[in-house]
Amino acid sequence: MKTNLKKIIILAFWLTIWEIVSLIINREIYLPSPICTFKSLIGLLVESETYLILIASTYRTLLGIILSCIFGILLGFICGMNKFLYDIINPVVLVIRSTPIVSIIILAIIWLKSTYVPIFSSLLMCFPVIFTNISTGIKNTDKKLLEVCNIYNITGFNKIKSIYFHSIIPYIHSAIISTIGIAWKATSAAEVLSMPKYSIGTNLFYAKAYLEPQLLFAWTILIVVLSSIFEKTYVKVFKYDKTK
């Protein structure tokens, strides 16, 4: 109860700051007030097309996360076990991590259909996080446990299941939690540039083009809420404690 009250007070504080700054600027085109933004948000939520847009963007984001997990966990595990392969793959991962998201999106627009651009961009932005976490988890496996396996001749799949798998579980959870926010950012940015038919990013672009900042804020709030829902759902389903 106290925690919820604290959250409400914090939210009220920042809404008040937002309202004060908006009144000082006194130009809705620069910074719409919370009330104006809330009205636009309600207007979006009563339109049926909004939910098609949310579903489409959620699908792209979720698919990007799933693909990054598949490739990141698989390659991260293999490279964590084999230093030679890690030395080969890691430079590519570093290049991907250092490449600006805009460059990735533009290349994706050249290569792919508009609906696949956000998925590809989300995949590439999330993959390095997953790969690095998993390979680090494998390398940090307790050496004493590995010695016990050698003593009792535990090899192959049993060794992977008993030692390595349990060792990387916290790293998997941490990586996925980190990639949820990244995936939503990458997907939305890619949608702004590639403009698939049903997407939040396309509507962000239209809000900017038609000088409707209140709509831009409203769509942004929806992105933040969806990202938060993703994270809280994952934490609850897998009972992951982020404080550990």
Side-chain angles (χ1 to χ4, degrees):
M1 188 69 178
K2 289 182 179 179
T3 303
N4 291 334
L5 180 61
K6 182 180 177 181
K7 289 179 179 178
I8 292 171
I9 292 172
I10 292 171
L11 178 62
F13 170 78
W14 285 112
L15 286 175
T16 303
I17 295 296
W18 179 2
E19 177 67 24
I20 292 170
V21 174
S22 177
L23 289 172
I24 292 171
I25 295 175
N26 198 28
R27 292 277 186 91
E28 288 287 339
I29 195 171
Y30 292 134
L31 182 65
S33 66
I35 294 174
C36 184
T37 300
F38 183 73
K39 287 180 180 178
S40 295
L41 181 60
I42 296 299
L44 289 177
L45 293 177
V46 298
E47 294 180 9
S48 58
E49 187 178 2
T50 298
Y51 296 95
L52 290 176
I53 293 167
L54 295 179
I55 290 170
S57 288
T58 299
Y59 163 76
R60 297 185 189 102
T61 304
L62 189 58
L63 189 55
I65 293 172
I66 291 171
L67 290 175
S68 67
C69 285
I70 292 172
F71 290 112
I73 292 173
L74 183 61
L75 284 175
F77 190 92
I78 294 171
C79 292
M81 299 280 287
N82 190 307
K83 189 177 185 305
F84 176 72
L85 287 177
Y86 178 84
D87 290 339
I88 292 175
I89 300 295
N90 194 50
V92 178
V93 175
L94 291 176
V95 169
I96 295 172
R97 177 182 290 168
S98 303
T99 303
I101 180 60
V102 174
S103 299
I104 291 174
I105 294 170
I106 292 172
L107 284 173
I109 290 172
I110 295 171
W111 295 337
L112 305 168
K113 292 182 179 180
S114 62
T115 191
Y116 299 128
V117 172
I119 299 170
F120 179 77
S121 302
S122 178
L123 164 62
L124 282 194
M125 290 301 293
C126 295
F127 169 76
V129 178
I130 304 287
F131 173 86
T132 302
N133 272 41
I134 302 307
S135 59
T136 300
I138 293 295
K139 291 176 183 178
N140 290 339
T141 300
D142 193 334
K143 299 296 186 293
K144 292 181 179 179
L145 292 176
L146 296 176
E147 289 175 5
V148 171
C149 287
N150 293 331
I151 292 171
Y152 290 97
N153 292 320
I154 300 174
T155 58
F157 179 74
N158 288 329
K159 187 175 182 179
I160 292 172
K161 182 180 71 173
S162 304
I163 306 299
Y164 288 112
F165 181 71
H166 288 287
S167 176
I168 65 173
I169 284 178
Y171 292 89
I172 292 175
H173 289 319
S174 176
I176 293 175
I177 290 296
S178 298
T179 57
I180 288 173
I182 295 171
W184 274 104
K185 291 176 185 177
T187 301
S188 301
E191 288 176 344
V192 169
L193 294 179
S194 62
M195 297 184 66
K197 185 177 180 181
Y198 293 106
S199 73
I200 295 175
T202 300
N203 284 274
L204 288 173
F205 176 83
Y206 288 147
K208 171 258 180 186
Y210 296 124
L211 298 178
E212 295 179 308
Q214 70 279 6
L215 276 178
L216 192 150
F217 273 58
W219 282 112
T220 302
I221 289 171
L222 288 176
I223 294 172
V224 173
V225 169
L226 286 171
S227 179
S228 179
I229 290 172
F230 266 48
E231 182 176 329
K232 290 182 183 301
T233 301
Y234 183 88
V235 168
K236 188 171 183 180
V237 169
F238 292 95
K239 297 179 173 60
Y240 173 62
D241 186 356
K242 293 189 291 182
T243 60
K244 292 182 179 179

